[in-house]
Amino acid sequence: MDLIIRNARLADRPSDGPLDIGVEKGRIVAIGRGLDGDAEAYDAQGCLACPGLIETHIHLDKSRIIDRCTPQERRDLSPVKGVTPLKKSMSVEDVRTRAERTLEQCIVHGTTRMRTQVEVDPGIGMRGFEAVQSLIADYRWAIDIEICVFPQEGLTNYPGTDALLVEGLKHGAKVIGGAPRYDTDHAGQIARIFALAREFDVDIDIHLDVGHTPDAMDIHLVRELTDTYKRGGRVVVGHMAKLSLLPPDQVAALARRLAESGIAVTVLPATDLFLMGRDQDHSVRRGVADANRLIEHGVNCSLSSNNILNPATPYGDCSLIRMANLYANVLQLDRPAELTECFRMLTERSARLLNLDDYGFALGRPADVVIINAQSPAQAIAEIAQPLAAFKHGKRTVAWQPPALLRPR
């Protein structure tokens, strides 16, 4: 063996106590107690281990631009209006520099896999796509990245955008997305996204159903087309803030239909909490969908960051564990089982959402391991536990030092 990670509590079996993980040629070859071998060793000292955190929905291309954006009135804030005027000044180099800083912060906070949304339209052309794509090979030593190409500012109402989506799909995008809220023809955009997904045989990950009321939800058309095109298991809807405005019985009924169709949901707590309820000056709605409730009815869900330091989310340190803790606070979760489910929405549920068939602690799988300063998944979320080390294909990529008191002598 090349490496043995010793005394790690595996997130998918924490009750088993500390175990060793043996690695050879970048893959897991043994899991057990007291593994023999003269390989390089890392002592996890009983801390939690997972196969890496997964960022299922982030916008690398427009991160870290909040300092360039013109301030907007609280009630009328529009993230799109904040970004659009900046696009003409976004060169490939500019996008890459900002995206790289965000990507590195994701890595040091334990993320080993990522789906990033990248928008294309005549305002930005393919510059954002080119910049983010250039990072994929350069950072393969630490993280696997796939691109979801999508139209942020509209598709049917923005001539030239369709051709750029096709160009992105031809040049390596593995997923196509959409944002029908910003299109004059919601149904037209959604239909076109499904048609392109079928033509290029890619998955769908679409921004959906953000608004002040639960009226006119697009999820019903998405579900219908998922069934028609037989795309079950290959469709994800992000945000779904309008679910937070529905009574529990209606959420349950819709959740069961989503589960039957094989549609997954990504909840983006920081962004939805920041953007929703701006029409209110008291008793402000939270706007964060209850993923735990959806899971109870069979829907697969993930939690993710969405934006970092831009008009939709003007803060963030790229810590998915912190994001899950924020979500747990907003949804008022306190049971260990509920917090454990939050951790699963950063790990194994996210892997299933991205259709990753090589994720997890099993023999033959890639030796992607993140050590977290906690004893259990629930503790990690409750205490916003810090990653201590990360390994990608058996090579160490991240090192943190846990804080320590310096007692007087």
Side-chain angles (χ1 to χ4, degrees):
M1 289 183 285
D2 307 317
L3 169 71
I4 300 176
I5 298 173
R6 298 195 180 278
N7 303 312
R9 296 181 186 272
L10 277 55
D12 60 353
R13 60 197 93 166
S15 62
D16 287 357
L19 298 171
D20 298 345
I21 304 171
V23 178
E24 186 173 336
K25 295 181 180 179
R27 295 194 172 269
I28 296 171
V29 295
I31 298 174
R33 290 185 175 84
L35 295 182
D36 292 329
D38 296 327
E40 175 188 352
Y42 173 86
D43 188 355
Q45 300 182 39
C47 289
L48 185 69
C50 71
L53 305 179
I54 302 176
E55 185 75 76
T56 61
H57 186 128
I58 192 170
H59 296 256
L60 291 178
D61 57 334
K62 56 184 180 184
S63 64
R64 303 179 185 275
I65 58 172
I66 189 63
D67 58 333
R68 308 179 189 181
C69 297
T70 302
Q72 299 182 50
E73 292 297 323
R74 174 190 179 276
R75 188 182 185 92
D76 301 320
L77 184 142
S78 167
V80 170
K81 290 180 179 178
V83 176
T84 298
L86 305 179
K87 286 184 174 179
K88 60 185 178 183
S89 65
M90 291 182 179
S91 65
V92 173
E93 293 76 15
D94 168 56
V95 176
R96 180 185 163 101
T97 297
R98 290 183 290 98
E100 187 170 28
R101 288 178 60 196
T102 299
L103 181 61
E104 290 185 351
Q105 285 300 299
C106 291
I107 293 168
V108 300
H109 281 97
T111 300
T112 60
R113 313 233 187 172
M114 172 183 288
R115 172 181 288 175
T116 180
Q117 305 274 334
V118 176
E119 58 191 78
V120 295
D121 57 50
I124 185 69
M126 297 299 291
R127 297 191 301 277
F129 182 91
E130 180 182 337
V132 173
Q133 192 174 49
S134 74
L135 295 171
I136 295 176
D138 289 352
Y139 279 85
R140 191 165 286 128
W141 56 273
I143 189 169
D144 296 317
I145 307 169
E146 69 176 20
I147 290 177
C148 173
V149 64
F150 87 109
Q152 176 68 82
E153 299 183 31
L155 175 56
T156 69
N157 58 319
Y158 201 167
T161 301
D162 194 292
L164 292 170
L165 286 174
V166 171
E167 184 175 348
L169 292 168
K170 287 181 176 179
H171 285 84
K174 303 298 184 184
V175 189
I176 187 166
R181 181 187 182 198
Y182 296 101
D183 203 307
T184 52
D185 182 357
H186 291 210
Q189 180 180 130
I190 294 168
R192 180 58 177 157
I193 295 305
F194 271 84
L196 286 170
R198 180 173 63 177
E199 180 180 349
F200 288 91
D201 192 25
V202 294
D203 291 356
I204 294 171
D205 194 333
I206 189 167
H207 299 63
L208 213 66
D209 287 337
V210 176
H212 298 320
T213 75
D215 300 330
M217 292 179 69
D218 289 319
I219 187 60
H220 305 297
L221 176 58
V222 169
R223 191 176 68 83
E224 177 185 326
L225 292 176
T226 300
D227 293 343
T228 299
Y229 283 81
K230 295 180 171 51
R231 307 299 287 187
R234 301 187 68 181
V235 177
V236 182
V237 290
H239 294 286
M240 293 303 296
K242 289 185 177 184
L243 287 178
S244 69
L245 309 179
L246 293 173
D249 60 329
Q250 293 184 31
V251 173
L254 179 54
R256 287 191 291 270
R257 290 195 290 270
L258 294 180
E260 290 169 0
S261 296
I263 297 173
V265 175
T266 295
V267 176
L268 307 164
T271 299
D272 292 335
L273 191 61
F274 180 72
L275 294 179
M276 289 284 284
R278 288 178 170 271
D279 58 324
Q280 300 171 285
D281 58 14
H282 65 283
S283 298
V284 179
R285 69 180 73 85
R286 294 186 176 102
V288 179
D290 188 340
N292 288 64
R293 178 169 290 168
L294 297 176
I295 287 170
E296 290 174 3
H297 295 284
V299 181
N300 188 34
C301 296
S302 69
L303 302 172
S304 205
S305 298
N306 194 43
N307 284 292
I308 304 292
L309 300 171
N310 79 11
T313 321
Y315 28 66
D317 63 357
C318 304
S319 168
L320 280 170
I321 292 176
R322 189 186 306 281
M323 192 62 59
N325 177 276
L326 172 64
Y327 163 84
N329 269 276
V330 173
L331 272 297
Q332 301 171 335
L333 307 177
D334 61 354
R335 302 293 189 268
E338 295 171 328
L339 298 178
T340 298
E341 197 64 84
C342 291
F343 190 87
R344 293 183 67 214
M345 284 190 271
L346 308 179
T347 53
E348 57 195 87
R349 284 194 172 277
S350 289
R352 191 181 349 146
L353 184 145
L354 296 187
N355 290 314
L356 303 177
D357 57 9
D358 62 348
Y359 179 90
F361 288 141
L363 301 188
R365 298 280 172 85
D368 297 352
V369 184
V370 172
I371 307 298
I372 298 168
N373 193 19
Q375 300 292 299
S376 70
Q379 183 190 9
I381 301 302
E383 299 182 12
I384 315 180
Q386 176 180 294
L388 299 176
F391 300 82
K392 187 69 175 172
H393 298 296
K395 303 295 184 182
R396 191 165 183 183
T397 57
V398 174
W400 285 72
Q401 293 299 321
L405 291 175
L406 301 178
R407 297 185 181 278
R409 296 184 179 182

